[in-house]
């Protein structure tokens, strides 16, 4: 078995703004877990400032978020020369037989032009979304408001007007996807796709049956079980305020049940929420303030309509000691199945969200039945050590590479 090191590659790392997301936190948390395990690992980010890491282990490609690049953004989303050239320089001296690339987010700056440089390396592709198999990234028809059932890049997929931003945007994403396929013709043995839940693993392995797949849960530091809180809102929602997140049904449910609610995030439903006197809207908040805000709610709801790969809000709410009501389409619903801590509902069943939310709010008994049952097992399941150990094991099992041999 050969000794090896790891490079975490992502559009961005960390971040506490509306433009950031769980992928940036996951990349940083994974880096810290691997370092604590003694792995020789460093980070390359396409854009953004340096996270809280050893400066010698961080490099930036000096690119920008292409969503903010104006009219040139569409072309750069396929070929971003600045990011490609900078990445080529950083990877030039790396031994492909002793280096594993762990790829996180790639659609906002790295693009297929940079992905093409990875063909000589072993690559773990972290599936925060479905952009690798699916042009619109969600495997969800935004126009019909339903999960997709098409074969990506098949005739029905190419013909479908399924993108959030319309047909013209879909065409651009089809071109980008064709470019991705063109630059990733290296042997599939060089790639391992890491799904972050059982649910998303099932979707990814079905869409890419010829590739290697494994499950790797995001790490989250779980402290001691918190004491009971004194909430002032009936429910809370934390995340993007967009239709595929199930916001319309949640707001309608709040109206019918006359509930108070806290919404933290930004997106298309800002004005709708602001127009409801019993709903409070707060813009994006730093990660270290989220637990306190969650504890001001009796129940946290994740009502996703799309097949969400994970849903960080669920373990964060469980950690904060707040019961969770989560869509069965979200990957993190498996935490409720394993450890308790809430209930899940089926968004395809009319009224199921309303019934389950009313039940959870109705009695103290429902609070007891939705508590995390085994706190120690819950903490271990999402521990940094378990996460890092899994990556080390996968490197050894898949490519006979020993990430422990170099610290």
């Amino acid at each position: 078995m050969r000794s090896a090191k790891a490079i975490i590659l992502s559009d961005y790392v960390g971040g506490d703004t509306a433009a950031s997301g769980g992928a940036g936190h996951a990349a940083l948390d994974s880096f810290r877990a691997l370092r604590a395990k003694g792995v020789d690992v460093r980070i390359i980010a396409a854009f953004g400032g340096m996270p809280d890491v050893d400066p010698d282990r961080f490099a930036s490609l000096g690119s920008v978020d292409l969503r903010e690049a104006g009219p040139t953004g569409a072309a750069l989303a396929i070929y971003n020369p600045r990011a490609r050239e900078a990445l080529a320089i950083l990877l030039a001296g790396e031994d492909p037989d002793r280096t594993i690339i762990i790829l996180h987010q790639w659609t906002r700056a790295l693009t297929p032009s940079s992905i093409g440089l990875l063909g000589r390396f072993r690559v773990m592709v972290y599936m925060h979304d479905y952009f690798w198999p699916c042009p619109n990234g969600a495997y969800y028809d935004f126009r019909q408001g339903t999960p997709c059932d098409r074969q990506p890049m098949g005739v029905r997929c190419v013909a479908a007007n399924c993108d959030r931003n319309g047909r013209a945007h879909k065409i651009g994403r089809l071109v980008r996807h064709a470019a991705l396929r063109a630059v990733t013709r290296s042997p599939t043995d060089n790639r391992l796709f890491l799904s972050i839940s059982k649910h998303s693993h099932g979707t990814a392995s079905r869409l890419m049956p010829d590739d290697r797949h494994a499950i790797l849960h995001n790490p989250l530091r779980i402290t001691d079980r918190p004491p009971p809180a004194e909430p002032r809102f009936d429910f809370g929602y934390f995340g993007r305020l967009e239709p595929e997140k199930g916001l319309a049904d949640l707001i309608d449910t709040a109206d019918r049940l006359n509930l108070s609610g806290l919404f933290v995030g930004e997106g298309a439903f800002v004005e709708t929420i602001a127009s409801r006197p019993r709903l409070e809207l707060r813009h994006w908040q730093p990660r270290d303030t989220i637990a306190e805000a969650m504890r001001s709610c009796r129940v946290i709801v994740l009502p996703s309509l799309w097949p969400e790969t994970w849903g960080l809000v669920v373990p964060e709410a469980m950690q904060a000691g707040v019961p969770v009501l989560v869509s069965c389409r979200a990957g993190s619903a498996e935490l409720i199945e394993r450890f308790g801590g809430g209930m899940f509902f089926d968004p395809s069943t009319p009224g199921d969200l309303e019934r389950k939310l009313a039940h959870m709010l109705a009695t103290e008994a429902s609070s007891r039945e939705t508590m995390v049952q085994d706190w120690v097992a819950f903490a271990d399941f999402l521990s940094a050590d378990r996460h890092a150990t899994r990556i080390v094991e996968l490197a050894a099992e898949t490519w006979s590479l020993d990430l422990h041999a170099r610290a």
Side-chain angles (χ1 to χ4, degrees), residues 335-352:
L335 293 176
I336 305 302
E337 292 181 290
R338 286 176 179 265
F339 306 109
M343 301 179 68
F344 50 87
F345 74 98
D346 186 348
S348 66
T349 301
D352 201 32

Side-chain angles (χ1 to χ4, degrees), residues 33-334:
L34 289 170
R35 285 298 296 147
K37 196 72 175 175
V39 174
D40 183 0
V41 57
R42 59 192 178 94
I43 298 176
I44 299 176
F47 65 85
M50 189 181 80
D52 183 19
V53 298
D54 182 347
D56 292 340
R57 293 190 173 272
F58 174 79
S60 173
L61 302 183
S63 187
V64 297
D65 187 341
L66 298 182
R67 300 187 304 181
E68 302 172 359
T72 63
L76 291 174
I78 300 166
Y79 190 88
N80 184 352
R82 182 175 181 177
R84 177 186 168 84
E85 291 165 9
L87 182 60
I89 292 172
L90 289 173
L91 295 181
E94 301 294 345
D95 182 352
D97 289 328
R98 295 180 179 272
T99 305
I100 294 175
I101 307 293
I102 304 175
L103 176 64
H104 283 257
Q105 208 78 2
W106 58 272
T107 59
R108 287 165 56 175
L110 290 169
T111 76
S113 59
S114 293
I115 303 304
L117 298 173
L118 308 184
R120 63 194 182 99
F121 295 93
R122 274 74 169 182
V123 182
M124 293 182 176
V125 182
Y126 216 109
M127 298 284 282
H128 295 287
D129 46 46
Y130 299 106
F131 268 119
W132 198 279
C134 169
N136 79 19
Y139 200 55
Y140 181 80
D141 191 319
F142 289 91
R143 296 289 164 160
Q144 295 183 2
T146 58
C148 186
D149 63 354
R150 307 177 184 96
Q151 180 61 35
M153 296 300 281
V155 174
R156 292 176 61 230
C157 168
V158 172
N161 180 19
C162 62
D163 197 86
R164 180 202 310 273
N165 298 311
R167 183 61 185 169
H169 204 259
K170 171 67 180 290
I171 292 172
R173 288 188 163 178
L174 288 169
V175 174
R176 181 178 67 184
H177 208 75
L180 175 68
R181 289 192 169 186
V183 301
T184 55
R185 298 189 184 280
S186 56
T188 56
D189 286 350
N190 283 355
R191 288 193 298 270
L192 175 65
F193 290 92
L194 304 178
S195 293
I196 55 180
S197 66
K198 292 189 302 180
H199 174 77
S200 62
H201 176 266
T203 300
S205 58
R206 175 168 52 85
L207 295 178
M208 301 182 291
D210 296 330
D211 290 289
R212 295 181 176 184
H213 299 268
I215 297 175
L216 175 71
H217 292 95
N218 289 332
L220 183 66
R221 182 173 178 268
I222 307 297
T223 56
D224 294 338
R225 189 191 294 267
E230 296 183 3
R232 52 180 287 241
F233 298 100
D234 291 318
F235 73 92
Y237 171 87
F238 294 73
R240 293 183 296 108
L241 307 178
E242 299 294 344
E244 72 275 13
K245 301 288 282 187
L247 268 293
D249 196 13
L250 179 58
I251 293 170
D252 287 346
T253 295
D255 286 345
R256 288 193 296 270
L257 297 178
N258 196 30
L259 302 178
S260 62
L262 171 64
F263 288 79
V264 178
E266 295 182 14
F269 278 85
V270 165
E271 292 185 3
T272 303
I273 295 166
S275 69
R276 296 325 202 256
R278 292 182 59 80
L279 304 182
E280 181 173 317
L281 174 65
R282 299 178 190 171
H283 294 294
W284 215 270
Q285 304 209 335
R287 192 181 190 187
D288 58 6
T289 69
I290 292 297
E292 182 181 354
M294 286 181 169
R295 284 171 60 78
S296 69
C297 308
R298 294 178 62 193
V299 177
I300 301 298
V301 185
L302 180 64
S304 299
L305 300 179
W306 75 287
E308 188 153 1
T309 55
W310 186 234
L312 181 60
V313 66
V314 172
E316 287 184 332
M318 293 167 69
Q319 178 188 27
V322 183
V324 185
L325 178 58
V326 55
S327 165
C328 64
R329 293 179 185 171
S332 51
E334 75 173 86

Side-chain angles (χ1 to χ4, degrees), residues 352-371:
D352 201 32
L353 169 60
E354 182 174 339
R355 285 190 295 272
K356 297 289 178 57
L357 183 55
H359 171 73
M360 291 182 70
L361 294 172
T363 65
E364 290 301 321
S366 67
S367 296
R368 288 193 295 272
E369 75 184 40
T370 54
M371 290 177 61

